[in-house]
């Protein structure tokens, strides 16, 4: 899921402006990621379930910032739930989503004196099928930016996919491409890998041919979502998905891969305003690129080195980030 592997520290439970920095419940904690805290729920409907709580943490360059973005977790939850239902309704993939109702959390989870209150979790909760996560990021790119642009500058290809010469930064590709990446341990960076390496990893867990099927599903979802977003004035430049194998009550695999975690949010995608799109340079964005650009300025000024701990974010960056997330939510889900 969200690069789990240890408890996030250094972010207070309250945070600025009533933000949720972390979550404490009387449930078994599976792990805490950069944004989400994940707990095990009692079985419901005959299937193992997990509870994902979207905090207001924000990360960049694989570092969680000490300043939360108040309300970001609720926006992410609403966007992800919209897209997961949208994907299922169009037959593009099955997903882990069961509910977004905080009432699904048992009362015993709210231990007196220490637990995060139920009211603080309203709008932040995703109840999903428990899955065995495939350790590969399934990335679709329709435009040339980020690590893909840097790799293209060096090699003329991205993840082994050769591209035409002379493409500009942020230029639309002739067709969307699949560029998988490994899921790095905390503190490390994801690594772009060729399809053949991804297939070895995925097929060993999910069965022969599954990586090819998930590649096709990734590109199909991206293509349909790009069309949906563009009709609302937003370019979906690239996005990443995660898939997992659903588990039965005995802990065994109960079926083929399904889409898990989030989908098509500003944390996992690049969204650009279509009306000012101009290839050849970085684009204004609705995603956390706004935070990245502020931090890059600190790096260039010798103030920060892209390592933990991250710097405090000024109010202008907090408000600017939240307004971009809010506009993306309003336009994409309209």
């Amino acid at each position: 899921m969200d690069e789990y592997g240890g408890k996030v520290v250094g972010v207070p439970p309250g945070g600025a402006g009533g933000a949720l920095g972390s979550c404490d419940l009387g449930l078994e904690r599976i792990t805490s990621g950069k944004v989400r805290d994940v707990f095990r729920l009692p079985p419901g409907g005959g299937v193992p379930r997990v509870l994902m709580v979207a905090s207001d943490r924000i990360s960049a360059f694989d570092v969680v910032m000490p300043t939360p973005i108040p309300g970001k977790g609720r926006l992410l939850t609403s966007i992800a739930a919209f897209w997961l239902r949208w994907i299922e309704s169009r037959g593009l993939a099955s997903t882990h989503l069961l509910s977004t109702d905080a009432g699904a959390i048992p009362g015993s989870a709210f231990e007196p004196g220490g637990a995060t209150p139920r009211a603080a979790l309203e709008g932040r909760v995703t109840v999903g099928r428990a899955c065995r996560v495939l350790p590969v990021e399934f990335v679709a790119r329709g435009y040339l930016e980020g690590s893909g642009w840097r790799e293209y500058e060096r090699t003329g290809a991205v993840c082994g996919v050769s591209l035409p010469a002379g493409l500009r930064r942020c230029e639309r590709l002739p067709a969307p491409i699949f560029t998988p990446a490994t899921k790095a341990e905390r503190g490390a960076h994801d690594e772009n890998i060729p399809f053949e390496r991804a297939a070895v990893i995925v097929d060993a867990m999910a069965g022969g041919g599954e990586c090819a099927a998930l590649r096709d599903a990734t590109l199909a979802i991206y293509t349909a979502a790009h069309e949906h977003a563009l009709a609302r004035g937003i370019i979906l430049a690239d996005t990443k998905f995660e898939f997992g194998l659903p588990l039965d009550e005995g802990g065994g695999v109960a079926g083929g891969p399904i889409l898990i975690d989030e989908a098509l949010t500003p944390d996992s995608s690049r969204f650009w305003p279509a009306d000012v799109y101009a290839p050849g340079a970085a684009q204004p964005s609705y995603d956390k690129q706004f935070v990245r650009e502020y931090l890059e300025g600190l790096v260039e000024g010798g103030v920060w080195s892209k390592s933990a701990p991250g710097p405090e974010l000024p109010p202008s960056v907090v408000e600017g980030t939240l307004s971009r997330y809010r506009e993306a939510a309003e336009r994409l889900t309209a």
Side-chain angles (χ1 to χ4, degrees):
M1 294 182 184
D2 193 27
E3 286 201 29
Y4 306 141
K7 186 177 176 66
V8 173
V9 296
V11 182
L20 184 70
S22 62
C23 180
D24 183 22
L25 293 172
L27 295 170
E28 178 188 348
R29 183 185 296 269
I30 297 174
T31 189
S32 291
K34 295 172 188 173
V35 173
R36 290 169 178 81
D37 298 301
V38 185
F39 303 88
R40 197 178 311 281
L41 281 173
V47 297
R49 303 178 301 161
V50 297
L51 172 72
M52 299 170 58
V53 178
S55 74
D56 292 327
R57 300 189 293 266
I58 191 166
S59 69
F61 308 112
D62 296 301
V63 176
V64 177
M65 298 297 114
T67 312
I69 310 294
K72 170 178 170 284
R74 290 189 170 95
L75 287 170
L76 288 181
T77 299
S78 67
I79 295 171
F82 166 82
W83 281 116
L84 290 170
R85 293 183 178 116
W86 186 91
I87 288 165
E88 286 194 326
S89 71
R90 283 155 179 77
L92 295 168
S94 297
T95 81
H96 75 140
L97 179 63
L98 298 173
S99 171
T100 56
D101 181 11
I105 307 172
S108 59
F110 300 98
E111 298 172 342
T116 304
R118 192 188 299 272
L121 303 182
E122 295 288 348
R124 300 180 179 278
V125 165
T126 300
V127 178
R129 286 284 305 268
C131 290
R132 184 172 300 163
V133 181
L134 299 177
V136 168
E137 302 278 6
F138 293 80
V139 183
R141 299 178 188 270
Y143 298 75
L144 199 53
E145 179 58 306
S147 63
W149 165 245
R150 293 189 292 273
E151 187 174 343
Y152 172 78
E153 281 191 300
R154 295 193 310 271
T155 69
V158 183
C159 292
V161 180
S162 296
L163 296 172
L167 294 178
R168 296 167 291 173
R169 182 179 181 181
C170 296
E171 188 150 0
R172 187 172 184 175
L173 300 175
I177 60 174
F178 177 64
T179 60
T182 58
K183 286 174 57 61
E185 296 296 327
R186 180 168 302 283
H189 295 282
D190 294 346
E191 176 191 356
N192 290 343
I193 58 175
F195 171 79
E196 292 75 15
R197 183 174 165 193
V200 170
I201 298 170
V202 172
D203 291 353
M205 288 183 62
E210 284 292 354
C211 191
L214 294 177
R215 172 197 60 197
D216 295 346
T218 295
L219 292 172
I221 296 169
Y222 170 82
T223 300
H226 178 274
E227 180 180 344
H228 173 92
L230 195 60
R232 288 152 180 80
I234 294 178
I235 291 171
L236 172 60
D238 56 47
T239 193
K240 65 179 180 180
F241 300 114
E242 296 189 48
F243 291 88
L245 303 172
L247 301 178
D248 60 27
E249 292 184 86
V253 173
I258 61 175
L259 185 60
I260 63 172
D261 196 24
E262 61 175 337
L264 297 159
T265 74
D267 270 13
S268 62
S269 315
R270 283 188 175 87
F271 291 113
W272 302 332
D275 59 348
V276 294
Y277 169 64
Q283 307 296 305
S285 70
Y286 293 111
D287 51 65
K288 63 182 179 181
Q289 186 61 28
F290 182 71
V291 174
R292 293 191 193 101
E293 289 170 2
Y294 168 76
L295 295 172
E296 288 283 15
L298 298 184
V299 173
E300 292 172 5
V303 178
W304 187 51
S305 62
K306 291 189 179 181
S307 59
E312 294 282 352
L313 302 178
S316 60
V317 172
V318 171
E319 290 301 322
T321 301
L322 189 59
S323 68
R324 284 161 172 79
Y325 276 56
R326 186 180 295 115
E327 183 175 351
E330 291 171 352
R331 297 180 71 170
L332 291 169
T333 65

